[in-house]
Amino acid sequence: SDQTELLRRKLEIHVKGDSVPDPILSFSSCNLPEKLLHNIQTLGYDMPTPIQMQGIAAALTGKSLLASADTGSGKTASFLVPVVSRCATFRHGNLSKSKKPLAMVLTPTRELCIQVEEQAKLLGKGLPFKTALVIGGDAMPRQLYRIQQGVELIVGTPGRLIDLLAKHDIELDDIMTLVLDEVDCMLQKGFRDQVMQIFRALSQPQVLMYSATMSQEVEKMASSMAKDLIFVSIGQPNR
Ligand code: ADP
Ligand code: MG
């Protein structure tokens, strides 16, 4: 509508793709689980940032997404809010005893993984939403045990995840969403093949790709993972 166009222009939200949904104007307008909404409030997030307005709306459709926005613009919650919502809703409505992981976040560094997992725990508090970290360090047996006991989300670096998957039988067929955070940085670090290997081990997940910058290489990888992609960028067009 005209109003949507005005809002997007004002907030410098650029979109591309088929049937891109309208941005959400508030966290409470998109049917999130009550506890998730409460956790967002507890974090002090009164209003979604532009990348959250458009990114959350897009991810909640179930489609794959390639999004770029500056550092500090709130990209983490932009992918974690829909991930927590989708996982908790699935567990809630599913009577099966099996607790295979439902979502996976890949980031280029262990520090970033720790930060993302920390925020995921805060957003998932009180919900069926457990997390496990798969990064370098000496806590691997405990994380493996957590995964075997049942977690919703795995957060890890590509190399460590591939090590783990090679050594242990972890069932990935329930993974609904794969998030690639700082995908530009992952490509710079030479993680492309490892990321693709993990993607191919999953059964056609929704892919949410987030980057501070856009490049042909990033777009190429995104297109190879999903056909019906939504593109979102905030700020200057075609950065
Ligand atoms: P990015 O990944 O885009 O660099 P982050 O997700 O790390 O940015 O968020 C940057 C900071 O903004 C964090 O401290 C985060 O808690 C805060 N933040 C995120 N979303 C909101 C919001 N809607 N309202 C207020 N603060 C927010
Ligand atoms: Mg980030």
Side-chain angles (χ1 to χ4, degrees):
S1 69
D2 285 354
Q3 224 162 357
T4 300
E5 286 317 310
L6 271 170
L7 179 73
R8 285 198 182 123
R9 199 172 311 156
K10 189 171 143 215
L11 299 175
E12 294 192 280
I13 299 174
H14 310 281
V15 298
K16 211 169 72 182
D18 292 331
S19 323
V20 181
D22 288 353
I24 56 164
L25 299 177
S26 68
F27 289 112
S28 57
S29 66
C30 48
N31 222 0
L32 299 173
E34 202 58 51
K35 286 208 171 112
L36 173 55
L37 210 49
H38 172 83
N39 296 338
I40 292 169
Q41 278 163 6
T42 303
L43 281 171
Y45 298 179
D46 296 329
M47 280 270 295
T49 64
I51 188 62
Q52 290 165 0
M53 289 180 175
Q54 189 63 69
I56 291 171
L60 286 174
T61 69
K63 286 196 191 192
S64 292
L65 173 68
L66 175 57
S68 68
D70 283 343
T71 300
S73 60
K75 293 191 287 297
T76 318
S78 183
F79 59 75
L80 284 179
V81 166
V83 162
V84 172
S85 174
R86 215 175 166 194
C87 291
T89 305
F90 179 89
R91 280 288 191 250
H92 199 74
N94 193 303
L95 301 174
S96 132
K97 279 253 159 52
S98 120
K99 286 237 175 116
K100 296 186 265 187
L102 300 178
M104 192 183 267
V105 177
L106 302 180
T107 94
T109 67
R110 74 189 293 280
E111 291 71 30
L112 192 56
C113 286
I114 292 168
Q115 284 170 30
V116 168
E117 197 220 11
E118 197 55 47
Q119 191 165 6
K121 280 196 245 175
L122 295 172
L123 287 169
K125 216 169 174 180
L127 287 160
F129 192 78
K130 292 202 178 72
T131 61
L133 261 180
V134 179
I135 57 176
D138 53 10
M140 212 50 251
R142 195 162 50 87
Q143 297 297 328
L144 177 65
Y145 180 74
R146 276 184 71 77
I147 294 172
Q148 287 163 342
Q149 293 302 298
V151 298
E152 279 66 38
L153 176 70
I154 295 176
V155 181
T157 51
R160 283 293 159 164
L161 251 160
I162 284 178
D163 281 353
L164 182 81
L165 298 177
K167 288 184 201 129
H168 305 278
D169 186 27
I170 293 165
E171 290 183 277
L172 300 177
D173 48 309
D174 276 358
I175 300 266
M176 301 184 285
T177 302
L178 172 66
V179 178
L180 309 179
D181 191 20
E182 304 211 354
V183 54
D184 47 351
C185 181
M186 283 205 276
L187 290 179
Q188 274 159 28
K189 288 188 152 222
F191 290 160
R192 206 196 89 94
D193 291 350
Q194 291 176 323
V195 170
M196 288 309 292
Q197 190 182 331
I198 293 166
F199 170 74
R200 282 192 300 267
L202 311 179
S203 20
Q204 293 185 297
Q206 174 190 38
V207 189
L208 306 178
M209 287 161 279
Y210 278 82
S211 188
T213 61
M214 220 25 95
S215 70
Q216 271 195 335
E217 210 192 350
V218 167
E219 290 201 27
K220 221 174 107 188
M221 187 172 77
S223 309
S224 78
M225 289 185 171
K227 289 207 172 60
D228 190 13
L229 258 184
I230 292 177
F231 295 84
V232 176
S233 73
I234 309 297
Q236 305 289 309
N238 306 316
R239 293 180 305 145

